[in-house]
Amino acid sequence: MRAERKRGSAKGALGEWVRAERKRGSAKGALGEWARAERKRGSAKGALGEWVRAERKRGSAEDALGEEVRKLREYMEQNLESFEEQLFQLTNKDKIKKNEPMEKHTTFRVGGPADYFLVPERTSEIADIVQLCRGKNVPYYVIGNGSNLLVGDKGYRGVVIQIYKSMSRIRIEGDEIIAQAGASLAQTACAAMEASLTGLEFASGIPGALGGAVVMNAGAYGGEMKDVLISADVLTRDGRVKTLTVEELELGYRKSVIPEEGFIVLEVQMRLKRGKREEIQGRMEELRQKRLEKQPLEYPSAGSTFKRPEGYFAGKLIQDAGLKGFRVGGAQVSEKHSGFIVNTGGATAAEIQELIRRVTAAVKEKTGVTLEPEVRRIGEF
């Protein structure tokens, strides 16, 4: 184990150890988690096994194990303190919140605390924070408005980076809109309307920010992001800013290349068409009324819960399975639109997740169709 620590493997175990310690408060359990994590990388099975066998020969394995756990705890506590100190050096302390309840940052209005919640204002800040997290093996996750996200009740062990209002600049050049990833879709659609540019009306009522809309190729009422996108500037895993064309983004139904490549959307370039402001405004109002009539906007939700199966509509499948109004605790299949799962008040993430599971199972049993959740899930449930 000492040899492994020298090679930097204990450093990589920080996340596993902290999670285990918080769950159990047990050093013995934490070491088990560490060993399992290290075994996956092929180091613990050899190093820890050899160490224990050697100590047993000397008849001191139990004492030595306690000593190793103590040293491991000290090392990891120091590493965590070092991470926090470096984090505070990278950005203004006012932008960093510790143990921040994620229910405040998701449209479901559920979610436990994130260890660290950051709101950067510049690309360089994001790049530095991501590189620090990767270097320290601390998990991180990027969100916008939290509109398509379910965070576990026990929270998120790591860093949540929110790209939203602090990075929401929009500018218009001719028939093109260039906007930062944190700009909301509603805000961007309104800017297009004011400039008499048509093509983004479909997005005017979609909750969420542009970055997430590109990641998921968001769409509604016959339009989707790939129809208007020219390119997107992204941050790569190694900290470079790269411009991807709409073709390189590989946009499909509620998907793109971004998640699998670990990219972070920074800025989006779109091309629209000249139109009449009054007609654009009228179309946006028409879509707003449709949403009010057909969607349960009076309750917290993440929008459509499931992707549309090819050849079907998720809401109809759920309704035909007799699940309209079905609930688990405070989570309910909307009585207005069965494709929505809503928080009727006091729901937990676990209840929402269980309702998603039961709906998926019931539809599969009745129709043979497998529903795929559109909502992304992170954290500990």
Side-chain angles (χ1 to χ4, degrees):
M1 184 181 287
R2 284 187 289 272
E4 286 302 299
R5 182 184 299 155
K6 289 178 181 177
R7 288 196 291 271
S9 65
K11 176 182 177 183
L14 175 62
E16 289 293 331
W17 183 84
V18 170
R19 284 192 289 274
E21 282 293 275
R22 283 178 173 155
K23 285 181 179 177
R24 290 183 290 275
S26 158
K28 184 177 180 181
L31 188 63
E33 285 296 314
W34 178 83
R36 280 191 289 276
E38 292 302 297
R39 186 176 293 118
K40 290 179 182 177
R41 290 190 284 272
S43 62
K45 185 175 181 181
L48 185 60
E50 285 300 319
W51 173 78
V52 170
R53 281 194 292 275
E55 292 301 309
R56 279 176 178 162
K57 287 179 182 178
R58 290 194 288 271
S60 61
E62 187 173 345
D63 292 341
L65 184 61
E67 179 64 15
E68 280 301 309
V69 168
R70 185 186 66 77
K71 291 179 179 178
L72 181 62
R73 181 189 291 118
E74 288 177 357
Y75 170 81
M76 291 183 171
E77 286 176 348
Q78 291 170 3
N79 200 10
L80 188 58
E81 290 174 2
S82 171
F83 169 77
E84 187 171 299
E85 289 173 1
Q86 292 179 60
L87 189 62
F88 285 150
Q89 291 173 4
L90 293 179
T91 187
N92 192 313
K93 288 186 178 182
D94 294 338
K95 302 175 191 173
I96 303 174
K97 297 180 180 179
K98 295 177 64 175
N99 300 314
E100 176 69 2
M102 287 303 295
E103 64 183 14
K104 296 166 59 176
H105 304 286
T106 66
T107 56
F108 255 137
R109 295 294 177 258
V110 300
D115 289 346
Y116 300 94
F117 185 88
L118 279 66
V119 185
E121 295 181 348
R122 296 182 299 276
T123 294
S124 59
E125 282 183 82
I126 300 171
D128 290 343
I129 291 164
V130 167
Q131 290 308 303
L132 174 62
C133 289
R134 289 177 61 81
K136 293 289 186 178
N137 202 28
V138 173
Y140 65 92
Y141 193 83
V142 178
I143 70 168
N145 186 37
S147 59
N148 204 33
L149 184 66
L150 180 62
V151 181
D153 298 309
K154 296 177 183 177
Y156 183 74
R157 303 286 72 81
V159 177
V160 172
I161 304 168
Q162 186 185 50
I163 301 177
Y164 193 34
K165 294 179 181 179
S166 61
M167 294 185 68
S168 59
R169 185 180 63 251
I170 299 171
R171 68 181 191 274
I172 296 175
E173 298 178 0
D175 60 355
E176 294 183 4
I177 293 182
I178 299 94
Q180 289 183 299
S184 73
L185 287 169
Q187 176 188 7
T188 309
C190 284
M193 178 193 70
E194 293 295 338
S196 298
L197 293 175
T198 183
L200 204 56
E201 293 90 331
F202 74 90
S204 60
I206 299 176
L210 267 177
V214 174
V215 172
M216 295 294 290
N217 186 28
Y221 297 108
E224 53 187 355
M225 291 304 298
K226 74 175 183 180
D227 298 334
V228 296
L229 273 174
I230 298 174
S231 63
D233 289 349
V234 301
L235 184 70
T236 65
R237 282 195 176 105
D238 58 4
R240 293 180 298 113
V241 176
K242 181 178 182 180
T243 299
L244 298 178
T245 65
V246 65
E247 292 80 16
E248 290 172 325
L249 287 166
E250 298 180 20
L251 300 172
Y253 178 69
R254 303 299 176 265
K255 67 178 182 180
S256 71
V257 74
I258 293 168
E260 63 188 70
E261 294 294 340
F263 295 151
I264 297 172
V265 180
L266 302 171
E267 191 170 82
V268 176
Q269 184 177 10
M270 296 167 283
R271 178 174 290 117
L272 304 178
K273 296 179 180 178
R274 285 289 163 188
K276 295 182 178 179
R277 185 186 185 283
E278 296 76 13
E279 292 179 1
I280 297 168
Q281 186 175 24
R283 176 58 175 164
M284 288 170 62
E285 177 60 23
E286 177 189 348
L287 295 180
R288 188 183 76 85
Q289 288 299 325
K290 284 186 177 181
R291 285 190 171 91
L292 285 172
E293 292 169 9
K294 297 182 179 180
Q295 297 179 7
L297 303 182
E298 65 272 25
Y299 292 111
S301 77
S304 297
T305 307
F306 300 95
K307 296 180 181 179
R308 186 182 68 243
E310 189 173 353
Y312 300 92
F313 291 99
K316 188 173 189 310
L317 290 173
I318 295 168
Q319 183 172 324
D320 291 348
L323 296 171
K324 176 180 277 193
F326 181 69
R327 63 193 302 152
V328 174
Q332 182 184 43
V333 176
S334 170
E335 295 180 335
K336 185 182 282 189
H337 190 312
S338 297
F340 286 66
I341 286 178
V342 298
N343 178 358
T344 61
T348 65
E351 289 170 347
I352 294 171
Q353 179 171 254
E354 177 61 14
L355 183 54
I356 290 173
R357 188 194 68 78
R358 292 192 191 183
V359 168
T360 303
V363 170
K364 176 70 173 178
E365 182 179 358
K366 184 174 177 64
T367 68
V369 178
T370 300
L371 293 178
E372 183 181 351
E374 187 171 317
V375 178
R376 303 199 170 201
R377 290 170 282 187
I378 66 168
E380 299 177 349
F381 286 78

